[in-house]
Amino acid sequence: MAAALLIPIAGPASTLALLHGAMAVGGMAAAGRRLWDMPVLSKAAAAALAVAAIIGWKDRDIFSDIWLNRLNAAFAGGRFLESREDGRESLGVYRFSSGAKVLVREGLTWANEEPGAKREAHLPLLLLDKPQRALLAGVRHPSTICSAVRHDIAADVIDPNPAAGRILDAFAVKDWPLTAKSPVLGQARFFRAGLRRYLRRPVPSYDLILVELPFPVHGPEAALQSSVEAFRQMRGRLNAGGLTAVRLPAPYAPRLLGRLLRNAREVFPHAGGFNLAGAD
């Protein structure tokens, strides 16, 4: 419980250091003088305090260093284009020596290729009759946003991570960044906000709400964004005949998919799922 409260404020590495230090100090205080009569345990306690201090001192570098060393050990010649950790999540873009880029989140890599990113927006928008406005939540590939605005719609893009803009820039696709001179018909507005908090605001209604679920899929954020209450919030912001589309990170556990569909069917009259062509 303490870690859950501290991580958004101090970051995961600093929280880990603080908890290690607290446990070491607490154990030393509880043992009292008996600890110092045991040379091995007293040295272990001192070592635990030292390790906690080192982790706290290195908290801004430790996770990116782990990623970089692991990826470079497997694929020589690659490098991080961006690597950020905001206390809520660790996020980066890694480019291999072949030129392929992957999104790295919480130490996991996700290959989101441009064709799949384009289909993510095209498929739901083609199901709508003359859509005017779309909400894109947690989208981490510029091709999805470019594909959406090519439908001559107004797109609001929300992401709670302050590094989201740098991540989009790091993918560096054609037609990006979106400007007044970009060869697209519509434009997008960007907001730093989480999905559920954003939907509680007096925001406009949408013809499409497109949500890209975060991974790891077992994390609390993914569960909150696919809950019955979350779907109710989304439906409350949809225009008549509107559509909510949720992209799931692969692999996605079958039992979690079943739960997500059950939650959606409690709110929407029609709910189903399909695989994007060429995706696992």
Side-chain angles (χ1 to χ4, degrees):
M1 291 176 65
L5 293 173
L6 287 171
I7 284 175
I9 300 171
S14 294
T15 300
L16 177 64
L18 181 62
L19 293 180
H20 277 183
M23 287 189 289
V25 171
M28 292 166 68
R33 302 185 72 136
R34 291 174 296 168
L35 177 65
W36 307 113
D37 294 334
M38 302 177 182
V40 174
L41 286 180
S42 62
K43 292 176 181 177
L49 283 173
V51 168
I54 292 171
I55 292 175
W57 179 54
K58 294 284 293 179
D59 71 323
R60 295 190 180 276
D61 303 319
I62 187 168
F63 290 125
S64 60
D65 286 347
I66 291 171
W67 288 357
L68 188 60
N69 291 332
R70 288 182 62 186
L71 286 169
N72 280 346
F75 303 96
R79 70 184 184 91
F80 269 100
L81 303 180
E82 282 294 338
S83 181
R84 294 287 185 272
E85 194 259 295
D86 69 340
R88 177 180 158 274
E89 66 175 347
S90 299
L91 193 63
V93 175
Y94 188 83
R95 183 174 66 192
F96 298 102
S97 56
S98 65
K101 299 175 186 177
V102 293
L103 180 70
V104 183
R105 179 173 180 176
E106 303 300 336
L108 300 175
T109 58
W110 184 26
N112 188 8
E113 297 180 352
E114 188 174 352
K118 290 180 177 179
R119 286 192 292 264
E120 181 180 4
H122 281 318
L123 290 176
L125 284 167
L126 289 172
L127 295 173
L128 297 170
D129 181 26
K130 297 180 180 179
Q132 301 296 314
R133 182 179 292 274
L135 175 66
L136 312 181
V139 171
R140 297 277 171 80
H141 201 298
S143 291
T144 302
I145 301 169
C146 288
S147 297
V149 297
R150 283 184 182 277
H151 287 259
D152 195 16
I153 63 171
D156 293 337
V157 185
I158 61 172
D159 199 305
N161 195 305
R166 291 179 175 270
I167 296 301
L168 292 171
D169 291 341
F171 275 105
V173 297
K174 185 180 178 181
D175 300 339
W176 191 266
L178 293 173
T179 66
K181 297 181 179 180
S182 296
V184 292
L185 299 175
Q187 291 298 305
R189 299 186 304 167
F190 295 83
F191 303 93
R192 182 182 171 188
L195 174 63
R196 299 194 61 184
R197 182 170 294 180
Y198 177 84
L199 292 176
R200 294 190 190 106
R201 301 175 181 176
V203 297
S205 296
Y206 297 95
D207 300 301
L208 168 67
I209 297 179
L210 173 61
V211 181
E212 196 168 286
L213 279 193
F215 62 96
V217 297
H218 297 285
E221 187 179 356
L224 287 173
Q225 291 187 14
S226 58
S227 65
V228 173
E229 180 58 31
F231 285 129
R232 284 179 180 150
Q233 283 185 294
M234 294 180 217
R235 187 176 184 185
R237 294 298 180 183
L238 283 177
N239 293 323
L243 174 70
T244 291
V246 180
R247 185 175 187 184
L248 311 177
Y252 198 77
R255 64 181 183 84
L256 295 179
L257 177 59
R259 181 191 305 167
L260 183 148
L261 289 173
R262 286 194 300 272
N263 292 344
R265 286 170 181 149
E266 285 195 30
V267 178
F268 296 101
H270 306 287
F274 58 89
N275 288 330
L276 286 172
D280 293 332

